[in-house]
Amino acid sequence: MSSPANARESAEPAVPGEDEAPIVHLVDVTSGQVLYSRNADRRFIPASMTKVMTVFLAFELIEEGKLSPAQVMTIREDTWREWAQKGSTMFLPADARVRVGDLIGGIANISANDGSIMLAEGYAGSVEAWVDAMNAKARELGLSNTHYGTPNGWPDEGRTFTSAADLVRLGQAMVERHPDKFARYVGRPEYTFNNITQPNRDPMIGRVAGADGIKTGFTNEAGFGFLGTANRNGQRLMFVIAGVDRNALRARLSRQLIEWGFSNFDRRRIFARGAVVGEARVQGGASRSIPLVADRNVYVNVPTNATGPISASIVYDGPVRAPISSGVEIAHLRISVPGMDPAIVPLVAGKDVDQAGFLGRIWNGVAGWFG
């Protein structure tokens, strides 16, 4: 949904934050549908929401075996001097020796600026090298409106920026690629390190059913922002609110927006996981077509007062060239709902298709002449 007008036409009551937050983006990440969006691609300063990428990068490195939660890092003396009690902090001591897992917990839950720098330097050798890795990961994820200048979002004259659409895409990658790590490290109501307990500033945890993260952000320049999510009965909504001028307003809008998302749409299952949705043409393969399969239960959200049919079409660059491995994403299902932007759902190959042998290539060529 690309404008507030569409949202007003398709659902009542009015969308929370329409007139109070300059940037709002709400997505059902389980269906790929945008439920409401305003200025989703506008670049803004994320402040401490920058740390989402620092945590995600740490998760990726752990998954790749390049970093271990049990690994112990030592803080540099210059780092301690610069970051001791500077903004949000873990209150790392001058001689801190800290497990990576504890650093990640401090970054994710109490927005530890000092912990972010310690992790960056401890793994990459320098903040600059860690930031380079953050930007490389952003490019890998297709975050076209994002650039990082710091690991923690400390003001850097605008070098660090992102967009709401990019932040949701990053949050979705964190949840889907690393569900166990997300559950372990993110979304704690409070966090204790070195016998100091601090509350998580997340405005939904403990107040909204299913809320489990992700990250708030604030500087005087950026205002108040939040990348938030909640999961109910297998449906995960994720949103960004940014540029809000008061903490209390951010909290109220966040809770209202997520409840609006869960209550103003009928959720319908279109295909079951494993269902064959269609087929794609194959070039140079032992088979001339390949079944396209849903790798998840496919749901669609329909505004409660919507009228008109739901339609779906398969989109891919074809024909697909053999060889093809089963389970590889090769197409998308585009689901159109009246009054909403289309939902885009990945489709995967339902079987292996090997390259055709010599005679098979001749037969495919002859068959191609006759359609």
Side-chain angles (χ1 to χ4, degrees):
M1 201 175 302
S2 57
S3 71
N6 286 341
R8 282 195 291 269
E9 291 169 4
S10 63
E12 293 291 343
V15 182
E18 276 189 290
D19 302 319
E20 298 174 288
I23 297 172
V24 183
H25 188 54
L26 172 65
V27 180
D28 181 343
V29 297
T30 48
S31 71
Q33 277 182 288
V34 176
L35 304 185
Y36 179 80
S37 188
R38 187 165 67 150
N39 297 321
D41 294 319
R42 178 192 291 180
R43 293 177 176 181
F44 66 90
I45 297 170
S48 283
M49 289 185 286
T50 299
K51 298 181 179 97
V52 179
M53 178 57 88
T54 283
V55 172
F56 177 73
L57 179 57
F59 286 175
E60 294 275 278
L61 293 169
I62 291 170
E63 192 71 20
E64 295 165 8
K66 298 176 180 177
L67 187 66
S68 168
Q71 181 178 340
V72 175
M73 293 182 172
T74 303
I75 196 167
R76 294 174 57 248
E77 184 176 348
D78 290 346
T79 299
W80 180 82
R81 286 202 188 101
E82 180 178 358
W83 291 98
Q85 302 185 36
K86 188 174 181 179
S88 302
T89 177
M90 291 175 68
F91 298 102
L92 293 169
D95 58 349
R97 287 176 51 81
V98 187
R99 293 172 62 253
V100 165
D102 293 332
L103 289 174
I104 293 173
I107 297 164
N109 296 288
I110 55 174
S111 199
N113 289 320
D114 50 356
S116 300
I117 301 298
M118 184 176 177
L119 176 63
E121 293 180 339
Y123 175 79
S126 69
V127 165
E128 292 75 18
W130 180 268
V131 168
D132 286 345
M134 292 170 69
N135 285 315
K137 191 61 65 174
R139 291 190 295 271
E140 177 188 315
L141 294 175
L143 310 185
S144 57
N145 286 306
T146 295
H147 184 268
Y148 298 105
T150 73
N152 56 18
W154 194 258
D156 62 357
E157 299 179 339
R159 290 189 296 275
T160 297
F161 56 82
T162 191
S163 71
D166 280 2
L167 265 177
V168 167
R169 193 172 294 117
L170 172 59
Q172 181 177 358
M174 176 183 284
V175 169
E176 292 184 349
R177 289 194 192 184
H178 306 290
D180 294 339
K181 298 180 186 65
F182 179 79
R184 178 178 180 183
Y185 291 105
V186 179
R188 301 186 191 179
E190 60 185 22
Y191 192 74
T192 301
F193 176 77
N194 202 22
N195 296 318
I196 300 172
T197 299
Q198 300 181 65
N200 192 327
R201 296 186 182 91
D202 186 304
M204 299 201 309
I205 292 174
R207 300 178 178 89
V208 172
D212 52 1
I214 297 179
K215 191 72 192 69
T216 57
F218 167 75
T219 63
N220 290 329
E221 184 179 11
F224 292 89
F226 181 42
L227 168 62
T229 187
N231 187 2
R232 297 181 187 174
N233 301 316
Q235 180 185 21
R236 179 174 291 280
L237 303 187
M238 192 172 291
F239 69 89
V240 169
I241 289 177
V244 176
D245 60 5
R246 302 187 309 280
N247 182 34
L249 179 59
R250 173 180 64 183
R252 174 172 66 81
L253 292 180
S254 296
R255 295 192 283 266
Q256 290 176 342
L257 183 65
I258 201 77
E259 295 294 355
W260 179 89
F262 279 117
S263 63
N264 280 274
F265 298 85
D266 294 326
R267 190 175 186 233
R268 305 176 188 176
R269 193 174 81 169
I270 307 300
F271 293 103
R273 180 178 181 178
V276 176
V277 176
E279 62 179 26
R281 291 178 57 203
V282 175
Q283 180 179 10
S287 298
R288 297 191 63 206
S289 64
I290 187 169
L292 298 173
V293 174
D295 67 348
R296 65 196 71 186
N297 290 322
V298 178
Y299 291 90
V300 66
N301 295 282
V302 180
T304 51
N305 63 346
T307 59
I310 299 172
S311 61
S313 59
I314 294 172
V315 181
Y316 68 97
D317 293 328
V320 184
R321 191 171 186 82
I324 305 164
S325 298
S326 176
V328 172
E329 182 180 320
I330 57 175
H332 293 89
L333 182 67
R334 179 185 176 95
I335 306 172
S336 297
V337 177
M340 300 185 67
D341 287 345
I344 308 297
V345 179
L347 298 175
V348 302
K351 66 177 184 179
D352 295 333
V353 176
D354 295 328
Q355 281 184 315
F358 177 71
L359 293 177
R361 290 196 297 272
I362 292 176
W363 168 248
N364 285 340
V366 171
W369 295 339
F370 295 96

